[in-house]
């Protein structure tokens, strides 16, 4: 019964993460001329970094409200995945969960910079020079930790249904595309698509696993 509750909790968290990702992608439209609400990867010039913050602080805050919900929710998904792993694969599952915690920590810290600057801009307070190298490094570490998380979980996810094979395959493909996007930055946008599709598949996976339990 406890295991089934954990699976349903993971399903709910994955659905919330999916909705939060949709809000980030489509709920806060980018103004003409802007490329992203989060100009921390790939690294950019100082003027390009601060422009959306100072020009559109309210929209920036809405975007990062959704992003904050996404961070909290995917951490719950990673916790639920760890909880349903068989004991014999716990060493790798622990690596996955530990990397997932780091992903959320780096992500929330990175978000904190944008939220703080947007709040200052909203009050017409002059912005201090942002520590761009630190912010860019946090963004890289966030992605590197997320690649590690899904790599570890993808290796040990129990494959007892077709859906579980699809989910495991996607988790293993994500770090491959992720590291390739370091060499070919044009692939970077695929990272977000992987996470959006991944959260929908995680929700389906948790529901399927819970439905099969007595």
């Amino acid at each position: 019964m406890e295991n089934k509750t954990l699976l349903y909790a993971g399903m709910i968290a994955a659905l919330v993460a999916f909705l939060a990702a949709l809000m980030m992608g489509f709920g806060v439209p980018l103004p003409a001329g802007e490329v992203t609400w989060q100009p921390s990867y790939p690294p950019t010039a100082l003027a390009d970094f601060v422009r959306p913050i100072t020009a559109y602080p309210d929209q920036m805050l809405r975007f990062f409200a959704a992003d904050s919900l996404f961070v909290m929710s995917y951490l719950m998904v990673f916790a639920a995945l760890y909880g349903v792993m068989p004991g014999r694969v716990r060493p790798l599952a622990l690596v996955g969960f530990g990397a997932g915690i780091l992903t959320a920590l780096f992500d929330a810290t990175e978000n904190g910079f944008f939220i703080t600057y947007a709040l200052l801009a909203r009050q017409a307070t002059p912005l201090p020079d942002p520590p761009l190298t630190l912010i860019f490094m946090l963004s890289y570490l966030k992605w590197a930790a997320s690649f590690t998380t899904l790599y570890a979980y993808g290796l040990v996810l129990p494959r007892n249904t077709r859906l579980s094979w699809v989910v495991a395959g996607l988790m293993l493909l994500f770090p491959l595309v992720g590291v390739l996007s370091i060499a070919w930055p044009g692939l970077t946008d695929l990272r977000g698509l992987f996470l959006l599709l991944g959260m929908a598949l995680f929700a389906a996976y948790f529901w399927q696993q819970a439905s099969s339990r007595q």
Side-chain angles (χ1 to χ4, degrees):
M1 184 64 182
E2 291 179 1
N3 210 14
K4 199 168 184 177
T5 300
L6 182 67
L7 288 165
Y8 280 127
M11 180 191 72
I12 292 170
L15 285 174
V16 173
F18 177 73
L19 293 174
L22 284 178
M23 178 61 68
M24 292 160 60
F26 305 102
V28 188
L30 281 165
E34 297 297 339
V35 177
T36 177
W37 288 117
Q38 195 166 4
S40 52
Y41 195 90
T44 187
L46 175 61
D48 294 328
F49 183 88
V50 300
R51 185 181 60 248
I53 300 173
T54 55
Y56 310 102
D58 290 332
Q59 293 95 319
M60 181 75 70
L61 290 171
R62 287 197 288 272
F63 176 87
F64 281 99
D67 198 358
S68 296
L69 182 60
F70 181 69
V71 172
M72 291 184 288
S73 299
Y74 74 60
L75 182 57
M76 299 303 111
V77 171
F78 295 154
L81 281 171
Y82 177 76
V84 301
M85 292 292 174
R88 63 183 178 276
V89 301
R90 281 294 170 89
L92 272 179
L94 183 59
V95 171
F97 188 32
I101 293 173
L102 288 176
T103 302
L105 177 61
F106 293 138
D107 203 348
T109 305
E110 178 193 10
N111 289 354
F113 280 104
F114 287 100
I115 293 168
T116 300
Y117 295 143
L119 288 171
L120 290 172
R122 196 168 183 264
Q123 300 168 27
T125 302
L127 299 185
D129 288 339
L132 289 186
T133 301
L134 173 60
I135 296 171
F136 297 154
M137 283 296 296
L138 284 169
S139 183
Y140 166 75
L141 290 170
K142 169 191 72 177
W143 284 112
S146 70
F147 301 155
T148 304
T149 298
L150 296 188
Y151 187 16
Y153 278 140
L155 287 172
V156 297
L157 185 77
R159 294 162 174 77
N160 50 10
T161 65
R162 289 182 180 177
L163 178 60
S164 63
W165 277 95
V166 171
V167 172
L170 185 73
M171 285 197 283
L172 292 174
L173 188 59
F174 176 63
L176 176 60
V177 173
V179 296
L180 288 176
S181 69
I182 296 172
W184 292 280
L187 297 174
T188 300
D189 289 345
L190 291 178
R191 299 176 181 184
L193 182 61
F194 265 99
L195 291 177
L196 178 66
L197 177 61
M199 290 303 155
L201 287 174
F202 282 138
Y205 170 78
F206 285 128
W207 178 83
Q208 184 186 71
Q209 294 295 313
S211 300
S212 67
R213 309 289 172 93
Q214 296 299 324

